[in-house]
Amino acid sequence: MFAGAVVSGRAASAAAGETKTISPMKKKSSVMKLSYLPYELQLRHAFTLATGSRTTTPVMLTRVEYDGISGYGEAAMPPYLGESHDTAAKYLSKVNLSQFRDPFLVEDIVEYLDGIMPGNYAAKASVDIALHDLVGKITGKPWFRLWGLNPAKTPFTSFTIGIDTPEVVKQKVAEAEPYKILKVKLGLGDDREMIETIRTVSDKPICVDVNQGWKDRNYALDMANWLNEQNVIFLEQPMPKTMVDDIAWLNERSPLPVVADEALQTISDLLPMKGVYSAINIKLMKCGGMNAAYKMAQMAGAMGMKVMIGCMTETSCAISAAGQLSPLTHWADLDGNLLISNDVYEGVKIIDGRVTLNDKPGIGISEKVKMFKK
Ligand code: MG
C-alpha cells in the first residue's frame, strides 16, 4: 500500500577514489524526503449536495522529513475536483525536494511545486502543508504565531446540516447543539422547506450554500430577500460560476453577501471578482496550500472583500492547517474532520463553536494513528 518518492542525499562515498567506511552511527538526513500514502475517509453520514451524494472521500497523506523532523500534509480529493489517488501519486512522484537544501525557502519551493504540472491543487497543497508543518516544527512555533495572528480572533465555525427528510433534519440540528452557526446546502428544490424546518427547532444564524444550484437571477434575488429575513448570514455560490453578469447583478441587489466558492480556485482568479462577489471562500485544496491561502486572504482584504475559510471532508491535518489562517477570516467552515469516522490526526479543536488553536508547532497536530511506518 505504501508508495513513496524517497529521495536520499548523495552519499559522500560516491566521490571518486574514496574507500572510507560509513560510520554505523545513525545519521539524520539533511535532505528533504517526501513520502505519501493513499487513504480513504469514511463519512459519518452520506454527503449530499446539488451535484450528487457519496459516503467516502479519497485522501493522500504526505510527510516531508528533514534532519530527523517530520512535517505532515494531506490532499483531500472529493470527486468533483477531478483529482484522485492516481493523479496525486503521479504528481507526487515528480516532486524532487532534494534540490532544496533549506526548507525555509518556502517561496521558492512553492513556486517549484506549482510549476511541475498545471492543476493538481490538492496534491500541491499536500506538499505545501507538510512543508509548513516541517518549518514550524523546526522553529518550534505554530504558523499562526509565525504569521503574527491573534489566536483570540478565530471565528466560530459553521456545522453543515445535510439535505434530508424534515424529521432527520430536526435530529441533525439537535446533534449540532455545540455549534453556534449552521450551514445548509440549498439548490435541490425544497429551499424554503429546508430553512422552515430548521426554524421550527432553532434560531441560530444559518449560512446558505447553493453550490451553483440556481439558474434564474430573479429567483435568486427573491430567495436572498427571503433568507435575509430568516437570520441567514450569507449566500454562497448561488448560481453557476459561468453566469458572471447575473451574479454581479444579484450581488449588487442582494441584502446578503454573495460568496464565491466554485468560481474561485487560486490567487489568479481573485482580481476579476471585484464587483461580482463580496466575499470569497478559500480552501487549501483549491488554491494549493497555506502559502497561497494566506496571500489570497490578504489580497481579498485589500480589495474590500470578506473572507471565509472552508474545507473538504478531510482529516484534522488539513483542517488544522486551515485553522492557522482562521484569525484572518470573518467566517469559518472547518467541520470536515467532524464529518468523518476514521481521522488519523488530532489538532485544532472546535470549543464552544469556535476554532480553537493550540500551541503545538507547525500546523498544530499530533498523530492519533501512526500511518507512516519508518
Ligand atoms: Mg461551497
Side-chain angles (χ1 to χ4, degrees):
M1 197 60 174
F2 180 83
V6 176
V7 181
S8 62
R10 192 183 300 276
S13 58
E18 274 188 353
T19 54
K20 282 179 198 164
T21 52
I22 294 173
S23 155
M25 238 173 65
K26 218 173 172 187
K27 171 165 91 108
K28 289 175 180 173
S29 170
S30 59
V31 173
M32 278 186 280
K33 187 179 99 176
L34 171 68
S35 312
Y36 49 94
L37 178 65
Y39 188 58
E40 196 82 25
L41 300 182
Q42 305 296 326
L43 309 188
R44 290 182 192 279
H45 297 286
F47 189 70
T48 303
L49 39 74
T51 47
S53 182
R54 64 175 202 279
T55 55
T56 61
T57 300
V59 299
M60 188 69 95
L61 304 175
T62 57
R63 177 180 67 179
V64 175
E65 292 172 289
Y66 175 83
D67 213 8
I69 300 174
S70 294
Y72 296 98
E74 174 183 14
M77 301 173 288
Y80 64 88
L81 285 186
E83 289 181 68
S84 64
H85 283 152
D86 286 348
T87 63
K90 189 172 168 206
Y91 172 82
L92 294 169
S93 71
K94 293 185 192 300
V95 175
N96 174 10
L97 294 180
S98 71
Q99 63 190 291
F100 299 98
R101 292 284 154 173
D102 179 358
F104 283 80
L105 296 176
V106 173
E107 291 292 334
D108 288 4
I109 297 170
V110 166
E111 191 183 343
Y112 158 72
L113 292 173
D114 196 43
I116 293 174
M117 287 164 82
N120 293 281
Y121 286 102
K124 288 170 181 172
S126 75
V127 187
D128 168 287
I129 294 169
L131 177 67
H132 279 77
D133 193 34
L134 174 71
V135 167
K137 282 172 172 163
I138 295 171
T139 65
K141 300 278 183 232
W143 268 92
F144 73 86
R145 293 217 184 278
L146 296 174
W147 278 325
L149 304 179
N150 183 350
K153 290 188 176 166
T154 55
F156 289 108
T157 188
S158 54
F159 187 83
T160 300
I161 305 296
I163 297 168
D164 220 310
T165 61
E167 282 319 302
V168 176
V169 166
K170 286 180 193 172
Q171 185 196 324
K172 286 180 178 174
V173 172
E175 286 168 15
E177 201 279 320
Y179 304 95
K180 312 282 187 211
I181 302 173
L182 304 176
K183 182 167 183 178
V184 175
K185 303 279 190 180
L186 297 186
L188 286 176
D190 294 337
D191 295 333
R192 288 183 195 234
E193 190 191 352
M194 180 75 185
I195 300 291
E196 282 164 350
T197 301
I198 293 173
R199 284 289 171 253
T200 63
V201 288
S202 170
D203 58 2
K204 286 178 185 173
I206 298 176
C207 304
V208 163
D209 188 356
V210 188
N211 291 112
Q212 317 188 75
W214 297 338
K215 315 292 184 218
D216 178 326
R217 69 185 192 180
N218 291 305
Y219 174 79
L221 182 58
D222 284 350
M223 283 302 296
N225 285 321
W226 182 77
L227 291 168
N228 187 44
E229 292 162 8
Q230 307 296 320
N231 195 19
V232 166
I233 302 174
F234 61 69
L235 197 51
E236 187 176 333
Q237 203 65 56
M239 304 175 76
K241 61 183 180 183
T242 49
M243 296 178 71
V244 176
D245 293 344
D246 296 274
I247 294 168
W249 179 92
L250 174 67
N251 188 48
E252 208 182 312
R253 292 160 179 81
S254 169
L256 296 175
V258 178
V259 184
D261 183 8
E262 285 86 342
L264 177 81
Q265 178 97 47
T266 192
I267 198 158
S268 56
D269 301 324
L270 190 47
L271 207 52
M273 296 211 155
K274 189 156 178 62
V276 181
Y277 296 88
S278 42
I280 58 168
N281 184 350
I282 297 175
K283 294 175 182 168
L284 301 187
M285 298 304 142
K286 287 195 302 182
C287 71
M290 296 169 70
N291 182 272
Y294 178 78
K295 289 174 181 165
M296 285 169 82
Q298 297 287 13
M299 185 171 160
M303 289 166 65
M305 297 173 90
K306 288 194 170 178
V307 176
M308 169 183 177
I309 182 90
C311 64
M312 308 296 172
T313 40
E314 52 201 29
T315 74
S316 291
C317 176
I319 293 290
S320 299
Q324 301 298 317
L325 279 166
S326 67
L328 269 181
T329 67
H330 302 86
W331 309 299
D333 182 24
L334 293 180
D335 63 353
N337 57 334
L338 307 171
L339 305 175
I340 61 170
S341 59
N342 58 343
D343 200 349
V344 290
Y345 295 103
E346 219 167 13
V348 165
K349 297 255 184 283
I350 306 302
I351 299 176
D352 292 332
R354 190 181 288 283
V355 177
T356 306
L357 299 168
N358 60 54
D359 256 322
K360 286 180 199 155
I363 59 172
I365 58 165
S366 54
E367 291 169 283
K368 213 159 89 171
V369 180
K370 204 163 178 57
M371 296 300 288
F372 288 93
K373 317 296 174 212
K374 249 304 156 206

